[in-house]
Amino acid sequence: MCGIVGYIGTKPCLSMIINGLKRLEYRGYDSSGVALFNENNEILIRKAKGKIVELEKLLDKGLEKHVVGIGHTRWATHGVPSTLNAHPHNSSNGKFVLVHNGIIENYAAIREFLLGKGFVFRTDTDTEVLVSLIENNYEGNLEKAVRKSLKEIRGTYGIAVMAENEPEKIVVARRGSPIIVGVGEDGNFVASDPSAIIAHTKNVIYLGEDEIAILTKDSINILNIDFERITPDVLELDMTLEAIEKGGFDHFMKKEIFEQTQTIKDAMRGRLMIDEGNVRLGGFQDHLDKFRNAKRIIFVACGTSWHAALLGEYMLEKYTRIPVEVEYASEFRYREPVIQQDDVVIAISQSGETADTLAAIREAKTKGATVFGICNVVGSTIARETDAGVYVHAGPEIGVASTKAFTSQVTVLCLMTIMIARMKSMSSIQGSDLAKALSRIPDKVGRILETTENEIIKIAEHYKDASNFLYLGRGYNFPVALEGALKLKEISYIHAEGYPAAEMKHGPIALIDKNMPVVVVATRDGMYEKIISNIEEVKARDGKVIAIATEGDETIKGKADHVIYIPDTLRFLTPLLSIIPLQLLSYHIAVMRGCNVDQPRNLAKSVTVE
């Protein structure tokens, strides 16, 4: 969750760290802080509750010249958001300082042990316990003290540590929380996300599980937890600074909504073979027999990715006839799942670092399953720990509420469906029909963005003060209803629930009155007449209906209070279109309510703790 950035070199580092933290605020924004070595090799710390702008108010001119430092932006786990609980944290004697992303599960026992030895604690955090444990284990060498301490803890961590006695180094380590090391010309970097350092270097090392890095201004040494030297791979980031800027939009979320015409294309590029009616997913090419012979496919995912997985279930079962199950990753390993030798497990995650999804992957692998990944971030932990996988190529997604990553995931699942179906029984003619329809989706998304926003703004103005929303859909549009409701909850703080439309009469219909807006995804498909009946049930109880309908549908105008039209397409591709107006509706309602759409309260982009 939290954001970490640090530098050791020959250049003044404060502005690098602060700008890096600003690019990491989407990972956490409860509080922030920096620690810097001054010219006397003393550690200076500045911390503030709230966003980075509050920290900047505390930074005097004298701090700008220092060339070694670490910084942190926090998403609270242990200890309420406060200046005291903000990172960096000092050890008991003040000579060690640490920033940390993760959770130390046995911190209470370690705290009691250290209290017995006379250590003093000032905060409620598990991080202060870890840095004091490093002080306790220090015998003149920082990396050895870090290693010994990490062997004594249980939990997850991405850390950067400095010691007054050794100002020439920063020691970095990770288990379960992402850490990258940036290789610079005038020094070296550490960060929890490439976006923090892309302005300074594109050459990075992804630190592996239980690895430790010792950074100096001239060198980077990577060791495993047993202190054996590792020769790392230095990768070049496929990212630009422009990709993580707003580009003239008021918010990252709106920029990312409008990028979907391109990101859906990028998810298909080089993979969709229209003339052959087939798909080539390079990451799966050496494992096609696993899909061909699969007795069952199990998706594990969380949040928005779970909704994408539901769509994957609908598509795959229809076109491949392979049974599919969709599991919440957070529940998967705790219910002793039954996994057979011929099962395929597919993990979906935007960041590739979601802790619950990683735990599900590891559980599946211990049971002998073949595990594949679908993620967005190159070099992420899920990309490294799965047997193979596919990147969705959505580019950096800064807005906490996922938009373009969702449609890119769904696009990849469409591609995967065609690929497996062609291996099973689908003809080249049918495959070509599906491929052609998929290739037209980006242009149709563009039409929706061009033609619907003004109407959506009017609808948002009408319902921005509502306390509750209900979202209804059937078939492929049921997961869309779930995702639409989630978007509204995440960024506007309006309570919203998504339901299969037919389930409304089994409970939610009791909530419907003149104050209840009901969003109904009512595109023309095999269940159109049934969804119209559900609209009639809402209207009979004075509910207000906002319908997402197919272009040319005049019937629905007489049924709904508001209609937003989308182009027609094949049924299994409809979610790629019907979700766009729901993203825009959530965005505009949140903006009108004065909410921070890019950084909604209590949320963080990448959930790297359980």
Side-chain angles (χ1 to χ4, degrees), residues 267-293:
M268 291 188 278
R269 181 174 289 115
R271 295 167 167 176
L272 189 63
M273 299 178 286
I274 296 174
D275 292 340
E276 299 173 35
N278 213 333
V279 165
R280 179 182 176 84
L281 293 172
F284 291 154
Q285 286 307 116
D286 293 336
H287 303 271
L288 294 180
D289 282 344
K290 288 288 184 182
F291 289 105
R292 184 181 289 109
N293 300 322

Side-chain angles (χ1 to χ4, degrees), residues 171-307:
V171 175
V172 178
R174 71 151 291 191
R175 177 192 295 160
S177 291
I179 287 288
I180 63 169
V181 173
V183 184
E185 294 182 359
D186 301 295
N188 296 305
F189 299 83
V190 57
S192 51
D193 188 300
S195 62
I197 59 174
I198 189 63
H200 309 290
T201 182
K202 284 194 169 186
N203 298 316
V204 300
I205 298 165
Y206 287 88
L207 211 60
E209 284 288 280
D210 292 322
E211 290 182 355
I212 298 170
I214 302 101
L215 278 60
T216 72
K217 65 183 178 65
D218 301 314
S219 66
I220 298 170
N221 289 305
I222 310 291
L223 310 170
N224 65 20
I225 198 73
D226 295 318
F227 259 38
E228 298 165 330
R229 189 175 295 277
I230 294 170
T231 302
D233 294 324
V234 180
L235 305 177
E236 184 175 349
L237 291 172
D238 183 19
M239 180 190 292
T240 65
L241 189 58
E242 291 75 16
I244 56 173
E245 302 291 348
K246 290 181 184 175
F249 288 90
D250 291 335
H251 300 93
F252 282 109
M253 183 179 179
K254 188 170 184 183
K255 177 194 176 200
E256 288 156 7
I257 290 171
F258 275 78
E259 284 178 337
Q260 289 173 109
T261 53
Q262 185 59 47
T263 53
I264 293 172
K265 283 182 187 177
D266 291 341
M268 291 188 278
R269 181 174 289 115
R271 295 167 167 176
L272 189 63
M273 299 178 286
I274 296 174
D275 292 340
E276 299 173 35
N278 213 333
V279 165
R280 179 182 176 84
L281 293 172
F284 291 154
Q285 286 307 116
D286 293 336
H287 303 271
L288 294 180
D289 282 344
K290 288 288 184 182
F291 289 105
R292 184 181 289 109
N293 300 322
K295 295 291 190 294
R296 182 176 58 157
I297 293 173
I298 304 169
F299 286 109
V300 290
C302 301
T304 287
S305 297
W306 190 83
H307 298 155

Side-chain angles (χ1 to χ4, degrees), residues 422-492:
R422 288 285 282 116
M423 287 192 294
K424 305 285 276 186
S425 60
M426 182 182 286
S427 69
S428 60
I429 293 173
Q430 187 181 10
S432 183
D433 288 342
L434 299 187
K436 286 175 184 175
L438 182 55
S439 71
R440 298 185 187 111
I441 290 295
D443 289 340
K444 293 182 178 183
V445 169
R447 276 170 52 195
I448 295 169
L449 292 169
E450 289 170 9
T451 60
T452 66
E453 189 172 20
N454 288 338
E455 178 63 23
I456 289 169
I457 290 171
K458 293 175 185 176
I459 296 170
E461 182 66 42
H462 198 75
Y463 295 107
K464 63 182 174 62
D465 296 319
S467 299
N468 299 281
F469 267 72
L470 188 63
Y471 285 70
L472 302 176
R474 300 187 77 133
Y476 287 104
N477 283 317
F478 162 52
V480 174
L482 292 175
E483 176 62 11
L486 178 61
K487 288 285 101 48
L488 190 69
K489 280 185 281 195
E490 285 178 315
I491 64 171
S492 75

Side-chain angles (χ1 to χ4, degrees), residues 523-535:
T523 53
R524 283 198 177 275
D525 56 28
M527 287 183 281
Y528 177 73
E529 287 76 15
K530 294 185 182 298
I531 201 85
I532 291 295
S533 295
N534 298 135
I535 290 174

Side-chain angles (χ1 to χ4, degrees), residues 406-426:
F406 173 74
T407 51
S408 293
Q409 289 169 347
V410 174
T411 301
V412 166
L413 291 168
C414 293
L415 293 170
M416 195 173 79
T417 297
I418 296 171
M419 179 191 76
I420 300 172
R422 288 285 282 116
M423 287 192 294
K424 305 285 276 186
S425 60
M426 182 182 286

